[in-house]
Amino acid sequence: MIPVRGFEGRVVAVLGLGRSGLSAARGLREGGADVLCWDDNPATRAAAIAEGFESRDLAQSGGFDGVDWLVVSPGIAHLYPVANPAVAAAWEAGVPVDNDIGLFFRSLGSGAWDEYDQPPKVVAVTGSNGKSTTSALIHHILTEAGRESQLAGNIGRGVLDIDPPGDGGVVVLELSSYQTDLARALTPDLAVFTNLSPDHLDRHGGMGGYFAAKRRLFAEGAPDRCIVGVDEPEGRFLANQLMEAREDARVIRVSSGTRLGGPGWDVFARKGFLSETRKGRQVASIDLRSVRGLPGAHNHQNACAAYATARALMLPPKVIEAALHSFEGLPHRSQIVAEVGGVRYVNDSKATNVDATLKALQAFPRIRWVCGGLMKDGGLGGLAAGLPNVVKAYVIGREAATFALGLPGVDAQVCTDMATAVAHASAEARDGEVVLLAPAAASFDQYDNFEQRGTDFASCVRAALDM
């Protein structure tokens, strides 16, 4: 655990007692703070009380009497579409609002670091799509190279649950826009921006607010080195803003599909080959086509970002290449769950928006596509470039019929439930095809989360194949 520093003897309130909130409460108590907790869920409150925490409804009159600081869990809105009543009450009471990421960065360093040969480093990864895979891949490369590494944040453990890093240790954090938006301290050594596509727009008041939340990691954190995906205008803008000159090697540009050139430091993938260039000259190359755990151009972008990060941490290309080949991928993200009779079954349940789903559709040439769920704003028009790869769609969810109407020119069967969709897809699939779950929709109409949906897909595949 990372004890939270700077609040000894002060009263800190924690709003939201999920994984990150309860972790923050424990870290605050370990650091000497007096902690008050609140969650609207009675069962969650009871669990915190069982650990000895005091509970107080912060939104009630006098809820912030004597409180010095408020820590808010990432799932709780603090501005758009409307501030949580407890957050608004904190503003009125003049109580500063922070989150566990801010506490982590202000508390990570310790006096023991003065005795280390190599001070620990923090790598922070953000973006719309691919940040989980990129973070896990960086962690995997470091581990395979024999470097101490811990994975936390929006993936793995809560940031304050990790062990204090040792000599030369690396902490890899996946950070969502909910986390970067509110943190009062953001000071990673290396920061990674994967890409940007519309998502969580209601929470950030539109696309500009969403990008601004991501940009805070770079503008306010002042990392020593930035790895920036430049396949969207926002990434190109960000890279340009961070550069002091064309040859500024503190910014490593990353692309999937575009050959980058110039006097700086670039990593890009084209036609399945990763290239690293410096000062306009290629210094390393890796054939990604045989890397089984990273199929498709979107995963090649993840590979480029992870490779660039590992190179910035002084790892040699051959070590990185070997680690790429041993990476098995993450559950629910282009995860191969079975391969029978020449048919591959891929679980990409995390593809909850149109952009992520388009990249999944473009990763395979002949697809039996399981899709649908709780549709998001913006429609399905952005999938058009990937639809030629679809042999047939099998649509699930309460809005299955409406979803199917949004797929012009696609042979679409309304199945409603996962078992029916997988049964039909597996029965009709032929050698060389892929049965792909890439929903292009949220899961909440039928499942608690995308993980539960992906797990159900895998179970239905095993049942259909009698495995």
Side-chain angles (χ1 to χ4, degrees):
M1 173 174 287
I2 305 293
V4 176
R5 304 179 188 281
F7 296 98
E8 295 84 353
R10 301 173 71 189
V11 178
V12 181
V14 176
L15 178 63
L17 299 172
R19 185 190 65 169
S20 65
L22 203 52
S23 171
R26 293 171 183 143
L28 284 159
R29 182 167 62 183
E30 185 73 15
D34 294 325
V35 183
L36 296 174
C37 292
W38 182 258
D39 192 296
D40 290 337
N41 186 329
T44 308
R45 286 201 307 273
I49 292 170
E51 289 195 31
F53 292 108
E54 182 182 346
S55 178
R56 181 194 292 182
D57 188 346
L58 300 166
Q60 297 299 313
S61 177
F64 282 94
D65 289 352
V67 174
D68 298 300
W69 206 265
L70 173 65
V71 176
V72 179
S73 293
I76 296 174
H78 57 269
L79 185 57
Y80 299 115
V82 62
N84 180 278
V87 174
W91 296 343
E92 291 297 322
V95 174
V97 181
D98 202 350
N99 64 14
D100 64 324
I101 303 302
L103 299 182
F104 168 83
F105 278 112
R106 68 182 289 161
S107 305
L108 180 62
S110 70
W113 288 22
D114 295 336
E115 302 173 7
Y116 290 168
D117 292 332
Q118 298 182 54
K121 293 186 180 295
V122 177
V123 176
V125 182
T126 196
S128 295
N129 300 307
K131 57 184 179 294
S132 294
T133 297
T134 300
S135 301
L137 184 53
I138 294 168
H139 171 65
H140 175 77
I141 292 169
L142 290 166
T143 302
E144 291 293 293
R147 294 281 295 273
E148 177 197 313
S149 177
Q150 298 183 77
L151 181 63
N154 206 41
I155 185 175
R157 304 159 71 185
V159 292
L160 295 169
D161 281 336
I162 67 171
D163 300 322
D167 195 340
V170 181
V171 178
V172 183
L173 301 181
E174 179 198 338
L175 299 181
S176 72
S177 57
Y178 294 178
Q179 293 168 309
T180 58
D181 195 21
L182 190 58
R184 285 176 169 257
L186 283 169
T187 53
D189 298 280
L190 291 87
V192 182
F193 177 87
T194 58
N195 51 57
L196 196 79
S197 61
D199 208 358
H200 310 306
L201 300 189
D202 59 335
R203 177 68 181 265
H204 296 291
M207 195 68 176
Y210 178 49
F211 176 52
K214 301 286 189 184
R215 186 176 178 271
R216 288 190 75 241
L217 183 64
F218 302 83
E220 301 196 21
D224 296 330
R225 182 153 277 144
C226 302
I227 295 89
V228 181
V230 294
D231 288 333
E232 292 85 30
E234 292 86 353
R236 293 191 285 275
F237 168 83
L238 179 61
N240 185 271
Q241 287 274 296
L242 296 169
M243 287 178 171
E244 294 294 335
R246 293 183 66 208
E247 63 275 11
D248 189 348
R250 293 174 302 171
V251 178
I252 307 176
R253 299 185 304 164
V254 167
S255 175
S256 176
T258 300
R259 180 184 180 87
L260 302 176
W265 191 352
D266 299 322
V267 178
F268 59 90
R270 290 187 74 238
K271 299 180 179 179
F273 286 87
L274 179 152
S275 296
E276 176 190 2
T277 63
R278 297 196 200 191
K279 298 180 180 180
R281 300 180 61 182
Q282 181 171 295
V283 297
S285 178
I286 297 175
D287 185 352
L288 297 175
R289 295 172 300 175
S290 60
V291 178
R292 187 175 176 83
L294 295 166
H298 61 306
N299 273 313
H300 292 176
Q301 183 187 56
N302 300 333
C304 288
Y307 175 94
T309 304
R311 290 291 284 143
L313 291 169
M314 308 300 292
L315 270 61
K318 291 297 182 184
V319 171
I320 302 171
E321 181 175 8
L324 293 178
H325 281 280
S326 62
F327 182 68
E328 296 182 355
L330 287 177
H332 318 298
R333 298 162 176 86
S334 298
Q335 177 193 18
I336 300 171
V337 297
E339 191 163 358
V340 176
V343 178
R344 190 181 305 176
Y345 295 80
V346 178
N347 167 19
D348 204 352
S349 183
K350 185 61 170 67
T352 59
N353 59 43
V354 166
D355 185 69
T357 301
L358 173 61
K359 290 172 179 176
L361 294 178
Q362 292 175 325
F364 307 102
R366 294 163 56 198
I367 299 169
R368 302 276 173 177
W369 179 30
V370 180
C371 56
L374 192 62
M375 295 178 64
K376 295 186 175 183
D377 293 341
L380 303 174
L383 295 171
L387 297 183
N389 292 350
V390 176
V391 177
K392 184 176 178 178
Y394 306 82
V395 189
I396 64 173
R398 290 202 307 251
E399 302 172 336
T402 302
F403 194 102
L405 290 174
L407 304 173
V410 175
D411 181 10
Q413 179 178 347
V414 175
C415 298
T416 307
D417 64 88
M418 185 70 74
T420 302
V422 172
H424 282 289
S426 62
E428 297 171 6
R430 299 292 178 263
D431 186 5
E433 294 181 345
V434 171
V435 176
L436 170 69
L437 170 65
S443 59
F444 306 123
D445 59 334
Q446 293 181 310
Y447 302 96
D448 291 339
N449 48 53
F450 73 85
E451 293 97 339
Q452 190 182 81
R453 176 173 57 191
T455 299
D456 189 30
F457 172 77
S459 297
C460 291
V461 167
R462 289 191 292 270
L465 299 177
D466 196 24
M467 296 175 66

